[in-house]
């Protein structure tokens, strides 16, 4: 899991968690824009205040949260 505001535009400086894809939706919401980038295996939703093209994004390792496959309860 990753929060949309933690997705960053461009390639990762560390060379990991970088995804290239096709921009499917781009919405301007006041001071930010929310985008959906279709990549192999799914869609990544992100938020940015930049106006740069959205074709490659990355998710910093520190912002990735793993969820249990079968949560208790």
């Amino acid at each position: 899991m990753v929060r949309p505001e933690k997705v960053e535009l461009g390639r990762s400086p560390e060379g990991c968690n970088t995804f290239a894809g096709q921009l499917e939706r781009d919405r301007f919401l006041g001071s930010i824009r929310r985008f959906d980038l279709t990549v192999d295996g799914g869609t990544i939703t992100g938020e940015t205040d930049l106006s740069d093209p959205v074709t490659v994004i990355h998710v910093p390792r520190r912002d990735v949260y793993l969820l249990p496959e079968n949560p208790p309860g």
Side-chain angles (χ1 to χ4, degrees):
M1 176 181 84
V2 64
R3 300 279 312 161
E5 65 271 15
K6 300 298 184 179
V7 175
E8 298 182 10
L9 299 184
R11 298 194 176 282
S12 168
E14 297 92 29
C16 65
N17 297 338
T18 296
F19 305 91
Q22 176 69 38
L23 184 65
E24 290 299 320
R25 280 182 79 191
D26 198 358
R27 286 120 27 233
F28 292 92
L29 306 170
S31 62
I32 63 162
R33 62 194 265 227
R34 182 173 292 157
F35 59 86
D36 296 331
L37 188 71
T38 300
V39 298
D40 287 342
T43 300
I44 298 173
T45 298
E47 293 178 353
T48 184
D49 60 353
L50 302 174
S51 62
D52 299 347
V54 180
T55 56
V56 177
I57 55 97
H58 72 277
V59 179
R61 283 189 270 190
R62 69 182 177 276
D63 296 319
V64 174
Y65 298 95
L66 300 178
L67 300 175
E69 185 174 340
N70 295 312

Short mmCIF file of all heavy atoms in Angstrom, two decimals:
data_model
loop_
_atom_site.label_atom_id
_atom_site.label_comp_id
_atom_site.label_asym_id
_atom_site.label_seq_id
_atom_site.Cartn_x
_atom_site.Cartn_y
_atom_site.Cartn_z
N MET A 1 0.85 -1.16 0.00
CA MET A 1 0.00 0.00 0.00
C MET A 1 0.90 1.23 0.00
O MET A 1 1.96 1.23 0.62
CB MET A 1 -0.88 -0.01 1.24
CG MET A 1 -1.74 1.22 1.37
SD MET A 1 -2.76 1.23 2.84
CE MET A 1 -1.61 1.85 4.02
N VAL A 2 0.45 2.26 -0.68
CA VAL A 2 1.17 3.53 -0.68
C VAL A 2 0.14 4.65 -0.76
O VAL A 2 -0.86 4.53 -1.47
CB VAL A 2 2.20 3.61 -1.82
CG1 VAL A 2 1.54 3.57 -3.17
CG2 VAL A 2 3.06 4.84 -1.69
N ARG A 3 0.36 5.71 -0.02
CA ARG A 3 -0.53 6.87 -0.07
C ARG A 3 -0.30 7.62 -1.38
O ARG A 3 0.85 7.75 -1.84
CB ARG A 3 -0.24 7.81 1.11
CG ARG A 3 -0.43 7.19 2.47
CD ARG A 3 -1.83 7.15 2.92
NE ARG A 3 -2.47 8.44 2.75
CZ ARG A 3 -3.79 8.59 2.71
NH1 ARG A 3 -4.58 7.56 2.85
NH2 ARG A 3 -4.31 9.78 2.55
N PRO A 4 -1.36 8.13 -2.03
CA PRO A 4 -1.20 8.81 -3.32
C PRO A 4 -0.23 9.99 -3.27
O PRO A 4 0.49 10.25 -4.24
CB PRO A 4 -2.61 9.30 -3.65
CG PRO A 4 -3.53 8.46 -2.85
CD PRO A 4 -2.76 8.05 -1.62
N GLU A 5 -0.17 10.71 -2.16
CA GLU A 5 0.71 11.87 -2.06
C GLU A 5 2.19 11.48 -1.94
O GLU A 5 3.07 12.32 -2.06
CB GLU A 5 0.30 12.78 -0.89
CG GLU A 5 0.45 12.16 0.47
CD GLU A 5 -0.76 11.40 0.98
OE1 GLU A 5 -1.68 11.08 0.19
OE2 GLU A 5 -0.78 11.10 2.18
N LYS A 6 2.47 10.18 -1.73
CA LYS A 6 3.86 9.71 -1.61
C LYS A 6 4.44 9.27 -2.95
O LYS A 6 5.63 9.05 -3.06
CB LYS A 6 3.95 8.57 -0.61
CG LYS A 6 3.51 8.94 0.79
CD LYS A 6 4.38 10.03 1.37
CE LYS A 6 3.98 10.32 2.81
NZ LYS A 6 4.81 11.35 3.41
N VAL A 7 3.59 9.13 -3.98
CA VAL A 7 4.05 8.76 -5.31
C VAL A 7 4.74 9.97 -5.92
O VAL A 7 4.23 11.08 -5.87
CB VAL A 7 2.86 8.31 -6.19
CG1 VAL A 7 3.31 8.05 -7.62
CG2 VAL A 7 2.19 7.07 -5.60
N GLU A 8 5.94 9.77 -6.47
CA GLU A 8 6.71 10.88 -7.02
C GLU A 8 6.90 10.70 -8.53
O GLU A 8 7.02 9.58 -9.02
CB GLU A 8 8.07 10.96 -6.33
CG GLU A 8 7.94 11.24 -4.83
CD GLU A 8 9.28 11.37 -4.13
OE1 GLU A 8 10.32 11.43 -4.80
OE2 GLU A 8 9.27 11.39 -2.89
N LEU A 9 6.94 11.81 -9.25
CA LEU A 9 7.15 11.78 -10.69
C LEU A 9 8.62 11.48 -11.00
O LEU A 9 9.51 11.89 -10.26
CB LEU A 9 6.76 13.10 -11.33
CG LEU A 9 5.30 13.54 -11.18
CD1 LEU A 9 5.08 14.83 -11.96
CD2 LEU A 9 4.33 12.48 -11.61
N GLY A 10 8.86 10.79 -12.11
CA GLY A 10 10.22 10.51 -12.56
C GLY A 10 10.75 9.20 -12.02
O GLY A 10 10.09 8.49 -11.28
N ARG A 11 11.97 8.90 -12.42
CA ARG A 11 12.64 7.67 -12.00
C ARG A 11 13.20 7.80 -10.59
O ARG A 11 13.56 8.89 -10.17
CB ARG A 11 13.76 7.32 -12.96
CG ARG A 11 13.27 7.08 -14.36
CD ARG A 11 14.32 6.42 -15.23
NE ARG A 11 13.76 6.13 -16.54
CZ ARG A 11 12.96 5.11 -16.81
NH1 ARG A 11 12.64 4.27 -15.87
NH2 ARG A 11 12.49 4.93 -18.02
N SER A 12 13.29 6.68 -9.91
CA SER A 12 13.83 6.67 -8.56
C SER A 12 15.34 6.89 -8.59
O SER A 12 16.04 6.26 -9.38
CB SER A 12 13.55 5.32 -7.90
OG SER A 12 14.29 5.18 -6.71
N PRO A 13 15.88 7.75 -7.72
CA PRO A 13 17.33 7.92 -7.65
C PRO A 13 18.03 6.64 -7.21
O PRO A 13 19.18 6.41 -7.57
CB PRO A 13 17.53 9.02 -6.61
CG PRO A 13 16.20 9.58 -6.30
CD PRO A 13 15.17 8.65 -6.83
N GLU A 14 17.34 5.79 -6.46
CA GLU A 14 17.93 4.52 -6.00
C GLU A 14 17.78 3.41 -7.03
O GLU A 14 18.33 2.33 -6.86
CB GLU A 14 17.26 4.05 -4.69
CG GLU A 14 17.43 4.97 -3.53
CD GLU A 14 16.28 5.98 -3.43
OE1 GLU A 14 15.15 5.66 -3.85
OE2 GLU A 14 16.54 7.09 -2.94
N GLY A 15 16.99 3.65 -8.08
CA GLY A 15 16.81 2.65 -9.12
C GLY A 15 15.79 1.57 -8.79
O GLY A 15 15.77 0.52 -9.42
N CYS A 16 14.93 1.80 -7.79
CA CYS A 16 13.91 0.79 -7.45
C CYS A 16 12.53 1.43 -7.42
O CYS A 16 12.40 2.65 -7.34
CB CYS A 16 14.24 0.15 -6.11
SG CYS A 16 14.14 1.28 -4.72
N ASN A 17 11.52 0.57 -7.48
CA ASN A 17 10.13 1.01 -7.41
C ASN A 17 9.78 2.08 -8.45
O ASN A 17 9.05 3.02 -8.18
CB ASN A 17 9.77 1.53 -6.01
CG ASN A 17 9.89 0.47 -4.95
OD1 ASN A 17 9.83 -0.72 -5.23
ND2 ASN A 17 10.05 0.88 -3.71
N THR A 18 10.34 1.93 -9.65
CA THR A 18 10.05 2.84 -10.76
C THR A 18 9.10 2.14 -11.72
O THR A 18 9.30 0.98 -12.05
CB THR A 18 11.34 3.25 -11.49
OG1 THR A 18 12.16 3.99 -10.58
CG2 THR A 18 11.06 4.09 -12.71
N PHE A 19 8.06 2.86 -12.15
CA PHE A 19 7.04 2.29 -13.02
C PHE A 19 6.77 3.23 -14.18
O PHE A 19 6.56 4.43 -13.97
CB PHE A 19 5.74 2.08 -12.24
CG PHE A 19 5.90 1.24 -11.01
CD1 PHE A 19 6.17 1.84 -9.78
CD2 PHE A 19 5.80 -0.14 -11.08
CE1 PHE A 19 6.33 1.08 -8.64
CE2 PHE A 19 5.96 -0.91 -9.93
CZ PHE A 19 6.22 -0.30 -8.72
N ALA A 20 6.77 2.69 -15.38
CA ALA A 20 6.39 3.45 -16.57
C ALA A 20 5.03 2.94 -17.02
O ALA A 20 4.74 1.75 -16.90
CB ALA A 20 7.41 3.25 -17.68
N GLY A 21 4.22 3.85 -17.52
CA GLY A 21 2.89 3.42 -17.93
C GLY A 21 2.17 4.45 -18.77
O GLY A 21 2.77 5.39 -19.29
N GLN A 22 0.87 4.25 -18.87
CA GLN A 22 -0.01 5.09 -19.68
C GLN A 22 -0.91 5.89 -18.75
O GLN A 22 -1.59 5.31 -17.90
CB GLN A 22 -0.85 4.20 -20.60
CG GLN A 22 -1.87 4.94 -21.43
CD GLN A 22 -1.21 5.81 -22.50
OE1 GLN A 22 -0.22 5.41 -23.10
NE2 GLN A 22 -1.77 6.97 -22.73
N LEU A 23 -0.92 7.20 -18.90
CA LEU A 23 -1.79 8.06 -18.09
C LEU A 23 -3.24 7.81 -18.49
O LEU A 23 -3.60 7.98 -19.65
CB LEU A 23 -1.42 9.52 -18.29
CG LEU A 23 -2.18 10.53 -17.45
CD1 LEU A 23 -1.89 10.33 -15.97
CD2 LEU A 23 -1.84 11.94 -17.87
N GLU A 24 -4.06 7.39 -17.53
CA GLU A 24 -5.47 7.11 -17.80
C GLU A 24 -6.38 8.25 -17.38
O GLU A 24 -7.35 8.55 -18.06
CB GLU A 24 -5.90 5.82 -17.10
CG GLU A 24 -5.30 4.58 -17.69
CD GLU A 24 -5.68 4.36 -19.15
OE1 GLU A 24 -6.84 4.60 -19.52
OE2 GLU A 24 -4.79 3.96 -19.92
N ARG A 25 -6.12 8.85 -16.22
CA ARG A 25 -6.93 9.97 -15.73
C ARG A 25 -6.01 11.00 -15.11
O ARG A 25 -5.02 10.65 -14.49
CB ARG A 25 -7.91 9.50 -14.65
CG ARG A 25 -9.15 8.85 -15.18
CD ARG A 25 -10.10 8.45 -14.08
NE ARG A 25 -10.86 9.62 -13.61
CZ ARG A 25 -11.60 9.61 -12.53
NH1 ARG A 25 -11.69 8.53 -11.78
NH2 ARG A 25 -12.27 10.68 -12.16
N ASP A 26 -6.38 12.26 -15.26
CA ASP A 26 -5.60 13.37 -14.70
C ASP A 26 -6.61 14.42 -14.25
O ASP A 26 -7.32 14.98 -15.08
CB ASP A 26 -4.65 13.91 -15.76
CG ASP A 26 -3.54 14.75 -15.18
OD1 ASP A 26 -3.51 14.95 -13.95
OD2 ASP A 26 -2.69 15.20 -15.96
N ARG A 27 -6.72 14.61 -12.94
CA ARG A 27 -7.72 15.54 -12.40
C ARG A 27 -7.03 16.64 -11.62
O ARG A 27 -6.16 16.37 -10.79
CB ARG A 27 -8.67 14.78 -11.45
CG ARG A 27 -9.63 13.94 -12.19
CD ARG A 27 -9.64 12.45 -11.94
NE ARG A 27 -9.24 11.81 -10.72
CZ ARG A 27 -8.33 10.83 -10.69
NH1 ARG A 27 -7.71 10.45 -11.77
NH2 ARG A 27 -8.04 10.21 -9.59
N PHE A 28 -7.43 17.87 -11.88
CA PHE A 28 -6.91 19.01 -11.15
C PHE A 28 -7.85 19.30 -9.99
O PHE A 28 -9.05 19.49 -10.17
CB PHE A 28 -6.76 20.22 -12.08
CG PHE A 28 -5.69 19.99 -13.11
CD1 PHE A 28 -6.00 19.46 -14.34
CD2 PHE A 28 -4.37 20.27 -12.82
CE1 PHE A 28 -5.02 19.22 -15.29
CE2 PHE A 28 -3.37 20.03 -13.75
CZ PHE A 28 -3.70 19.51 -14.99
N LEU A 29 -7.30 19.32 -8.77
CA LEU A 29 -8.09 19.48 -7.55
C LEU A 29 -7.53 20.66 -6.74
O LEU A 29 -6.98 20.49 -5.67
CB LEU A 29 -8.04 18.20 -6.71
CG LEU A 29 -8.44 16.91 -7.44
CD1 LEU A 29 -8.13 15.69 -6.60
CD2 LEU A 29 -9.90 16.96 -7.81
N GLY A 30 -7.66 21.84 -7.26
CA GLY A 30 -7.14 23.02 -6.57
C GLY A 30 -5.63 23.08 -6.65
O GLY A 30 -5.06 23.26 -7.71
N SER A 31 -4.96 22.88 -5.53
CA SER A 31 -3.49 23.01 -5.49
C SER A 31 -2.76 21.74 -5.90
O SER A 31 -1.54 21.74 -6.01
CB SER A 31 -3.05 23.43 -4.09
OG SER A 31 -3.40 22.43 -3.15
N ILE A 32 -3.48 20.64 -6.10
CA ILE A 32 -2.84 19.39 -6.53
C ILE A 32 -3.56 18.82 -7.74
O ILE A 32 -4.64 19.26 -8.10
CB ILE A 32 -2.84 18.32 -5.41
CG1 ILE A 32 -4.28 17.93 -5.05
CG2 ILE A 32 -2.05 18.76 -4.21
CD1 ILE A 32 -4.39 16.63 -4.32
N ARG A 33 -2.93 17.83 -8.34
CA ARG A 33 -3.60 17.04 -9.36
C ARG A 33 -3.47 15.58 -8.98
O ARG A 33 -2.45 15.15 -8.45
CB ARG A 33 -3.04 17.31 -10.75
CG ARG A 33 -1.60 16.96 -10.92
CD ARG A 33 -1.02 17.55 -12.19
NE ARG A 33 -1.03 16.64 -13.29
CZ ARG A 33 0.02 16.42 -14.08
NH1 ARG A 33 1.14 17.08 -13.90
NH2 ARG A 33 -0.07 15.59 -15.06
N ARG A 34 -4.51 14.82 -9.20
CA ARG A 34 -4.53 13.39 -8.92
C ARG A 34 -4.54 12.67 -10.26
O ARG A 34 -5.30 13.01 -11.15
CB ARG A 34 -5.75 13.01 -8.10
CG ARG A 34 -5.77 11.52 -7.74
CD ARG A 34 -6.89 11.20 -6.78
NE ARG A 34 -6.57 11.85 -5.51
CZ ARG A 34 -7.48 12.16 -4.60
NH1 ARG A 34 -8.75 11.91 -4.82
NH2 ARG A 34 -7.12 12.73 -3.48
N PHE A 35 -3.68 11.67 -10.38
CA PHE A 35 -3.56 10.94 -11.65
C PHE A 35 -3.64 9.44 -11.42
O PHE A 35 -3.35 8.94 -10.34
CB PHE A 35 -2.25 11.31 -12.36
CG PHE A 35 -1.03 11.01 -11.55
CD1 PHE A 35 -0.45 9.75 -11.56
CD2 PHE A 35 -0.44 11.99 -10.76
CE1 PHE A 35 0.68 9.48 -10.81
CE2 PHE A 35 0.69 11.73 -10.00
CZ PHE A 35 1.25 10.46 -10.03
N ASP A 36 -4.07 8.74 -12.47
CA ASP A 36 -4.07 7.28 -12.49
C ASP A 36 -3.16 6.86 -13.63
O ASP A 36 -3.40 7.22 -14.79
CB ASP A 36 -5.47 6.73 -12.73
CG ASP A 36 -6.43 7.08 -11.60
OD1 ASP A 36 -5.97 7.23 -10.46
OD2 ASP A 36 -7.64 7.20 -11.87
N LEU A 37 -2.12 6.11 -13.30
CA LEU A 37 -1.16 5.62 -14.29
C LEU A 37 -1.32 4.11 -14.38
O LEU A 37 -1.14 3.41 -13.38
CB LEU A 37 0.26 5.98 -13.87
CG LEU A 37 1.36 5.70 -14.88
CD1 LEU A 37 1.27 6.69 -16.04
CD2 LEU A 37 2.73 5.78 -14.23
N THR A 38 -1.70 3.62 -15.57
CA THR A 38 -1.84 2.19 -15.78
C THR A 38 -0.46 1.61 -16.08
O THR A 38 0.23 2.07 -16.99
CB THR A 38 -2.81 1.89 -16.93
OG1 THR A 38 -4.08 2.44 -16.58
CG2 THR A 38 -2.95 0.40 -17.17
N VAL A 39 -0.06 0.62 -15.28
CA VAL A 39 1.23 -0.04 -15.43
C VAL A 39 0.97 -1.54 -15.53
O VAL A 39 -0.16 -2.00 -15.32
CB VAL A 39 2.16 0.27 -14.24
CG1 VAL A 39 2.45 1.75 -14.16
CG2 VAL A 39 1.58 -0.22 -12.93
N ASP A 40 2.00 -2.31 -15.87
CA ASP A 40 1.84 -3.77 -15.90
C ASP A 40 1.32 -4.23 -14.54
O ASP A 40 1.93 -3.94 -13.51
CB ASP A 40 3.16 -4.46 -16.20
CG ASP A 40 3.58 -4.31 -17.64
OD1 ASP A 40 2.72 -3.99 -18.48
OD2 ASP A 40 4.78 -4.49 -17.93
N GLY A 41 0.19 -4.89 -14.54
CA GLY A 41 -0.33 -5.45 -13.30
C GLY A 41 -1.34 -4.58 -12.58
O GLY A 41 -1.85 -4.97 -11.55
N GLY A 42 -1.63 -3.38 -13.06
CA GLY A 42 -2.62 -2.58 -12.36
C GLY A 42 -2.53 -1.09 -12.63
O GLY A 42 -1.95 -0.65 -13.62
N THR A 43 -3.09 -0.34 -11.70
CA THR A 43 -3.12 1.11 -11.80
C THR A 43 -2.58 1.72 -10.52
O THR A 43 -2.92 1.26 -9.43
CB THR A 43 -4.56 1.61 -12.03
OG1 THR A 43 -5.04 1.04 -13.25
CG2 THR A 43 -4.62 3.12 -12.15
N ILE A 44 -1.74 2.73 -10.65
CA ILE A 44 -1.20 3.45 -9.50
C ILE A 44 -1.81 4.85 -9.51
O ILE A 44 -1.77 5.55 -10.52
CB ILE A 44 0.33 3.54 -9.56
CG1 ILE A 44 0.93 2.13 -9.51
CG2 ILE A 44 0.86 4.40 -8.42
CD1 ILE A 44 2.43 2.08 -9.72
N THR A 45 -2.40 5.23 -8.38
CA THR A 45 -2.96 6.57 -8.22
C THR A 45 -1.97 7.41 -7.44
O THR A 45 -1.46 6.97 -6.41
CB THR A 45 -4.30 6.51 -7.47
OG1 THR A 45 -5.22 5.74 -8.25
CG2 THR A 45 -4.88 7.91 -7.26
N GLY A 46 -1.68 8.59 -7.93
CA GLY A 46 -0.75 9.49 -7.25
C GLY A 46 -1.28 10.91 -7.22
O GLY A 46 -2.25 11.24 -7.91
N GLU A 47 -0.62 11.72 -6.42
CA GLU A 47 -0.95 13.15 -6.34
C GLU A 47 0.34 13.95 -6.44
O GLU A 47 1.38 13.54 -5.91
CB GLU A 47 -1.63 13.48 -5.02
CG GLU A 47 -2.99 12.86 -4.87
CD GLU A 47 -3.63 13.15 -3.53
OE1 GLU A 47 -2.97 13.73 -2.64
OE2 GLU A 47 -4.81 12.79 -3.36
N THR A 48 0.27 15.10 -7.11
CA THR A 48 1.43 15.96 -7.24
C THR A 48 0.98 17.40 -7.39
O THR A 48 -0.15 17.67 -7.79
CB THR A 48 2.30 15.54 -8.45
OG1 THR A 48 3.49 16.34 -8.49
CG2 THR A 48 1.55 15.68 -9.76
N ASP A 49 1.89 18.31 -7.07
CA ASP A 49 1.62 19.72 -7.33
C ASP A 49 2.41 20.19 -8.55
O ASP A 49 2.40 21.36 -8.89
CB ASP A 49 1.94 20.58 -6.10
CG ASP A 49 3.39 20.49 -5.67
OD1 ASP A 49 4.15 19.67 -6.23
OD2 ASP A 49 3.77 21.24 -4.75
N LEU A 50 3.08 19.27 -9.23
CA LEU A 50 3.87 19.59 -10.42
C LEU A 50 3.01 19.47 -11.67
O LEU A 50 2.06 18.71 -11.72
CB LEU A 50 5.06 18.63 -10.54
CG LEU A 50 6.02 18.62 -9.34
CD1 LEU A 50 7.07 17.53 -9.52
CD2 LEU A 50 6.66 19.98 -9.16
N SER A 51 3.37 20.23 -12.71
CA SER A 51 2.64 20.15 -13.98
C SER A 51 3.37 19.29 -15.01
O SER A 51 2.97 19.24 -16.16
CB SER A 51 2.42 21.56 -14.54
OG SER A 51 3.67 22.18 -14.80
N ASP A 52 4.42 18.59 -14.59
CA ASP A 52 5.20 17.74 -15.49
C ASP A 52 4.35 16.61 -16.06
O ASP A 52 3.38 16.18 -15.43
CB ASP A 52 6.39 17.13 -14.74
CG ASP A 52 7.34 18.18 -14.20
OD1 ASP A 52 7.22 19.35 -14.60
OD2 ASP A 52 8.20 17.83 -13.37
N PRO A 53 4.73 16.08 -17.24
CA PRO A 53 4.01 14.93 -17.79
C PRO A 53 4.12 13.72 -16.85
O PRO A 53 5.13 13.55 -16.17
CB PRO A 53 4.73 14.64 -19.10
CG PRO A 53 5.51 15.87 -19.42
CD PRO A 53 5.80 16.54 -18.11
N VAL A 54 3.08 12.91 -16.84
CA VAL A 54 3.07 11.71 -15.99
C VAL A 54 3.20 10.50 -16.89
O VAL A 54 2.23 10.07 -17.52
CB VAL A 54 1.77 11.62 -15.16
CG1 VAL A 54 1.78 10.37 -14.30
CG2 VAL A 54 1.59 12.86 -14.30
N THR A 55 4.42 9.98 -17.02
CA THR A 55 4.67 8.77 -17.79
C THR A 55 5.51 7.78 -17.00
O THR A 55 5.42 6.58 -17.23
CB THR A 55 5.37 9.07 -19.12
OG1 THR A 55 6.58 9.78 -18.85
CG2 THR A 55 4.49 9.91 -20.05
N VAL A 56 6.31 8.30 -16.07
CA VAL A 56 7.16 7.46 -15.21
C VAL A 56 7.04 8.01 -13.80
O VAL A 56 7.15 9.21 -13.57
CB VAL A 56 8.64 7.50 -15.66
CG1 VAL A 56 9.51 6.68 -14.72
CG2 VAL A 56 8.78 7.00 -17.09
N ILE A 57 6.81 7.09 -12.84
CA ILE A 57 6.71 7.49 -11.44
C ILE A 57 7.57 6.54 -10.60
O ILE A 57 8.00 5.49 -11.08
CB ILE A 57 5.24 7.47 -10.94
CG1 ILE A 57 4.56 6.11 -11.18
CG2 ILE A 57 4.44 8.54 -11.67
CD1 ILE A 57 4.59 5.24 -9.98
N HIS A 58 7.80 6.93 -9.36
CA HIS A 58 8.44 6.00 -8.44
C HIS A 58 7.83 6.18 -7.05
O HIS A 58 7.24 7.21 -6.74
CB HIS A 58 9.96 6.15 -8.41
CG HIS A 58 10.45 7.40 -7.75
ND1 HIS A 58 10.52 8.61 -8.39
CD2 HIS A 58 10.90 7.62 -6.49
CE1 HIS A 58 11.01 9.52 -7.56
NE2 HIS A 58 11.23 8.95 -6.40
N VAL A 59 8.00 5.13 -6.25
CA VAL A 59 7.52 5.12 -4.88
C VAL A 59 8.73 4.92 -3.98
O VAL A 59 9.37 3.86 -4.05
CB VAL A 59 6.50 3.99 -4.65
CG1 VAL A 59 6.02 3.99 -3.21
CG2 VAL A 59 5.34 4.11 -5.61
N PRO A 60 9.09 5.91 -3.17
CA PRO A 60 10.23 5.73 -2.27
C PRO A 60 10.01 4.53 -1.33
O PRO A 60 8.91 4.31 -0.85
CB PRO A 60 10.27 7.04 -1.47
CG PRO A 60 9.59 8.04 -2.36
CD PRO A 60 8.52 7.26 -3.07
N ARG A 61 11.06 3.77 -1.12
CA ARG A 61 10.97 2.57 -0.27
C ARG A 61 10.37 2.88 1.09
O ARG A 61 9.59 2.11 1.62
CB ARG A 61 12.34 1.93 -0.08
CG ARG A 61 12.78 1.15 -1.29
CD ARG A 61 14.01 0.39 -0.97
NE ARG A 61 15.15 1.24 -1.29
CZ ARG A 61 16.39 0.84 -1.31
NH1 ARG A 61 16.68 -0.39 -1.00
NH2 ARG A 61 17.36 1.66 -1.65
N ARG A 62 10.72 4.01 1.67
CA ARG A 62 10.26 4.35 3.02
C ARG A 62 8.75 4.55 3.09
O ARG A 62 8.17 4.53 4.17
CB ARG A 62 10.97 5.60 3.52
CG ARG A 62 10.57 6.86 2.77
CD ARG A 62 11.30 8.11 3.23
NE ARG A 62 10.93 9.24 2.42
CZ ARG A 62 11.45 9.57 1.25
NH1 ARG A 62 12.41 8.82 0.73
NH2 ARG A 62 11.03 10.62 0.59
N ASP A 63 8.10 4.73 1.93
CA ASP A 63 6.66 5.01 1.90
C ASP A 63 5.81 3.81 1.49
O ASP A 63 4.61 3.96 1.27
CB ASP A 63 6.39 6.19 0.96
CG ASP A 63 7.02 7.47 1.47
OD1 ASP A 63 6.95 7.71 2.69
OD2 ASP A 63 7.58 8.22 0.66
N VAL A 64 6.41 2.63 1.37
CA VAL A 64 5.68 1.42 1.01
C VAL A 64 5.31 0.68 2.29
O VAL A 64 6.17 0.45 3.15
CB VAL A 64 6.52 0.51 0.10
CG1 VAL A 64 5.81 -0.82 -0.16
CG2 VAL A 64 6.85 1.21 -1.21
N TYR A 65 4.04 0.34 2.43
CA TYR A 65 3.56 -0.42 3.58
C TYR A 65 2.99 -1.74 3.11
O TYR A 65 2.13 -1.77 2.22
CB TYR A 65 2.48 0.37 4.34
CG TYR A 65 3.01 1.66 4.87
CD1 TYR A 65 2.86 2.85 4.15
CD2 TYR A 65 3.69 1.71 6.08
CE1 TYR A 65 3.36 4.04 4.63
CE2 TYR A 65 4.20 2.90 6.57
CZ TYR A 65 4.03 4.05 5.84
OH TYR A 65 4.55 5.24 6.31
N LEU A 66 3.47 -2.83 3.70
CA LEU A 66 2.98 -4.16 3.35
C LEU A 66 1.83 -4.53 4.27
O LEU A 66 1.91 -4.34 5.49
CB LEU A 66 4.09 -5.18 3.46
CG LEU A 66 5.30 -4.93 2.55
CD1 LEU A 66 6.37 -5.99 2.78
CD2 LEU A 66 4.88 -4.90 1.09
N LEU A 67 0.78 -5.06 3.70
CA LEU A 67 -0.39 -5.49 4.46
C LEU A 67 -0.40 -7.01 4.52
O LEU A 67 0.00 -7.67 3.56
CB LEU A 67 -1.67 -4.98 3.79
CG LEU A 67 -1.78 -3.46 3.65
CD1 LEU A 67 -3.03 -3.11 2.87
CD2 LEU A 67 -1.78 -2.79 5.00
N PRO A 68 -0.89 -7.57 5.62
CA PRO A 68 -0.96 -9.03 5.68
C PRO A 68 -1.92 -9.58 4.64
O PRO A 68 -2.93 -8.94 4.31
CB PRO A 68 -1.46 -9.32 7.10
CG PRO A 68 -1.99 -8.04 7.61
CD PRO A 68 -1.39 -6.93 6.81
N GLU A 69 -1.59 -10.76 4.11
CA GLU A 69 -2.43 -11.37 3.09
C GLU A 69 -3.82 -11.69 3.66
O GLU A 69 -4.83 -11.46 3.01
CB GLU A 69 -1.78 -12.64 2.56
CG GLU A 69 -2.54 -13.26 1.43
CD GLU A 69 -1.81 -14.44 0.83
OE1 GLU A 69 -0.59 -14.56 1.02
OE2 GLU A 69 -2.47 -15.25 0.17
N ASN A 70 -3.86 -12.26 4.84
CA ASN A 70 -5.13 -12.59 5.50
C ASN A 70 -5.15 -11.91 6.85
O ASN A 70 -4.65 -12.45 7.84
CB ASN A 70 -5.26 -14.10 5.68
CG ASN A 70 -5.35 -14.82 4.35
OD1 ASN A 70 -6.12 -14.40 3.50
ND2 ASN A 70 -4.56 -15.85 4.17
N PRO A 71 -5.74 -10.72 6.93
CA PRO A 71 -5.74 -10.01 8.22
C PRO A 71 -6.49 -10.80 9.28
O PRO A 71 -7.45 -11.51 8.98
CB PRO A 71 -6.46 -8.70 7.91
CG PRO A 71 -6.97 -8.78 6.53
CD PRO A 71 -6.43 -10.01 5.90
N PRO A 72 -6.03 -10.71 10.54
CA PRO A 72 -6.72 -11.43 11.62
C PRO A 72 -8.14 -10.93 11.82
O PRO A 72 -8.44 -9.77 11.58
CB PRO A 72 -5.86 -11.14 12.85
CG PRO A 72 -4.97 -10.00 12.48
CD PRO A 72 -4.93 -9.91 10.99
N GLY A 73 -8.99 -11.81 12.26
CA GLY A 73 -10.36 -11.40 12.60
C GLY A 73 -11.31 -11.97 11.67
O GLY A 73 -12.35 -11.86 11.34
#
